[in-house]
Amino acid sequence: MKDIIVTLKPSMTISKFIFFGTLTSIPILLFLCNRSSSSSALISTTTSNSYSDLKIRPGYATYDSYIKKQLNKTLNPTLRKIWTTRDWDRKIQVFSKFFGELKTRKLVSDSSKVLCIGARMGQEVEALKRVGVQDSIGIDLVPYPPLVVKGDFHNQPFDDHIFDLEFSNVFDHALFPEKFVSEIERTLKPSGVCVLHVALSRRADKYSANDLYSVEPLKKLFKRSELLHTRTVDGFGLDTEVVFRKKR
């Protein structure tokens, strides 16, 4: 009997160790889970807490997951075929009209250096060249030479004070709108102009990272610029043009 008791004690000690080890590990696991959830929530709520009319969509736990979702659209072979065939001339015509109006209002000229942000296949770049603005280039996660170079609009691959005009119709795809705007203001020349086409009256597609409900958040985000004007447009599902000029 003594031998049996001696044999059971180590087993009981191990069982107790496992039991108490499990108990002590639960708070650690809960902490790690909460920290992970907090990181995800930080991406989702940082901007929405600051600007009531600008909401970051949930579902992006990491920046890599956000980039992957954006690439799912940009690299979709069906969409790329549409963008380079059926949509090509139609979009160039619409963009040419927009940029022609900017030239009439003296916001861009033939000598301007222009950046198109989130340009995909570069229809807006081609449109600029057709209206006489030859020094134009686009950036996107996937390059499309010679019109579009590779670049992340949260971290533009350009030096400070490069462009006279920056145009974008993909503000809704910005996961970090503050960074999106600060990069525009960094790379714009003093007195340079930024033209955004945004959707205020309707929600954008499933690949969008934010929803904008008024122009007010943009006015706050453009800390180094002044609002020139807003107007209604019909731009591929986007209904409002917002134009800022960077202060000297």
Side-chain angles (χ1 to χ4, degrees):
M1 180 65 70
K2 286 183 180 180
D3 290 339
I4 294 174
I5 293 173
V6 171
T7 302
L8 286 175
K9 280 185 178 180
S11 176
M12 291 173 65
T13 302
I14 292 171
S15 298
K16 289 180 179 179
F17 175 78
I18 294 173
F19 174 74
F20 286 110
T22 302
L23 286 179
T24 56
S25 67
I26 289 174
I28 296 173
L29 291 172
L30 289 173
F31 169 76
L32 292 174
C33 289
N34 287 335
R35 187 171 70 171
S36 176
S37 298
S38 298
S39 298
S40 177
L42 180 62
I43 289 177
S44 300
T45 63
T46 298
T47 299
S48 61
N49 286 341
S50 302
Y51 307 104
S52 59
D53 283 347
L54 176 58
K55 304 294 185 183
I56 303 300
R57 293 186 181 183
Y60 299 108
T62 66
Y63 193 66
D64 285 344
S65 65
Y66 158 77
I67 292 293
K68 182 178 180 180
K69 185 169 184 178
Q70 297 304 310
L71 288 174
N72 283 341
K73 180 176 185 178
T74 305
L75 292 174
N76 184 300
T78 301
L79 290 177
R80 291 182 77 82
K81 183 176 181 179
I82 292 173
W83 293 334
T84 54
T85 54
R86 186 183 72 194
D87 278 1
W88 183 257
D89 288 331
R90 179 176 66 92
K91 287 191 173 183
I92 289 174
Q93 290 175 8
V94 174
F95 283 129
S96 294
K97 180 182 177 182
F98 286 144
F99 295 134
E101 292 169 350
L102 292 179
K103 288 186 72 176
T104 300
R105 302 204 305 270
K106 309 298 184 184
L107 296 177
V108 67
S109 69
D110 289 352
S111 61
S112 295
K113 186 177 182 66
V114 179
L115 174 67
C116 296
I117 302 167
R120 292 208 177 92
M121 319 309 286
Q123 292 100 326
E124 51 264 71
V125 181
E126 178 63 26
L128 279 161
K129 293 180 182 295
R130 292 191 185 185
V131 299
V133 188
Q134 297 300 319
D135 194 0
S136 304
I137 194 67
I139 60 168
D140 205 289
L141 292 173
V142 179
Y144 191 74
L147 300 175
V148 181
V149 299
K150 184 176 182 179
D152 183 342
F153 53 52
H154 291 113
N155 186 24
Q156 289 188 22
F158 306 108
D159 293 332
D160 299 351
H161 317 308
I162 296 294
F163 300 102
D164 298 293
L165 175 79
E166 298 193 27
F167 169 80
S168 184
N169 60 3
V170 297
F171 176 81
D172 59 294
H173 286 260
L175 183 62
F176 299 110
E178 296 98 333
K179 186 63 175 171
F180 178 93
V181 171
S182 68
E183 282 294 275
I184 290 173
E185 293 190 313
R186 178 183 67 79
T187 55
L188 269 179
K189 295 177 182 177
S191 298
V193 172
C194 174
V195 179
L196 298 180
H197 285 181
V198 298
L200 298 183
S201 63
R202 68 188 76 177
R203 302 283 59 80
D205 66 24
K206 65 180 181 180
Y207 295 97
S208 298
N210 71 70
D211 293 303
L212 183 66
Y213 297 91
S214 79
V215 175
E216 292 305 310
L218 294 176
K219 291 163 65 175
K220 294 178 182 178
L221 287 168
F222 278 86
K223 303 179 189 301
R224 301 161 59 189
S225 306
E226 60 181 348
L227 177 65
L228 293 184
H229 77 261
T230 65
R231 66 168 184 151
T232 299
V233 294
D234 182 11
F236 312 111
L238 306 177
D239 52 47
T240 304
E241 179 179 272
V242 189
V243 180
F244 290 90
R245 187 187 298 278
K246 183 178 175 180
K247 297 175 183 177
R248 290 184 179 273

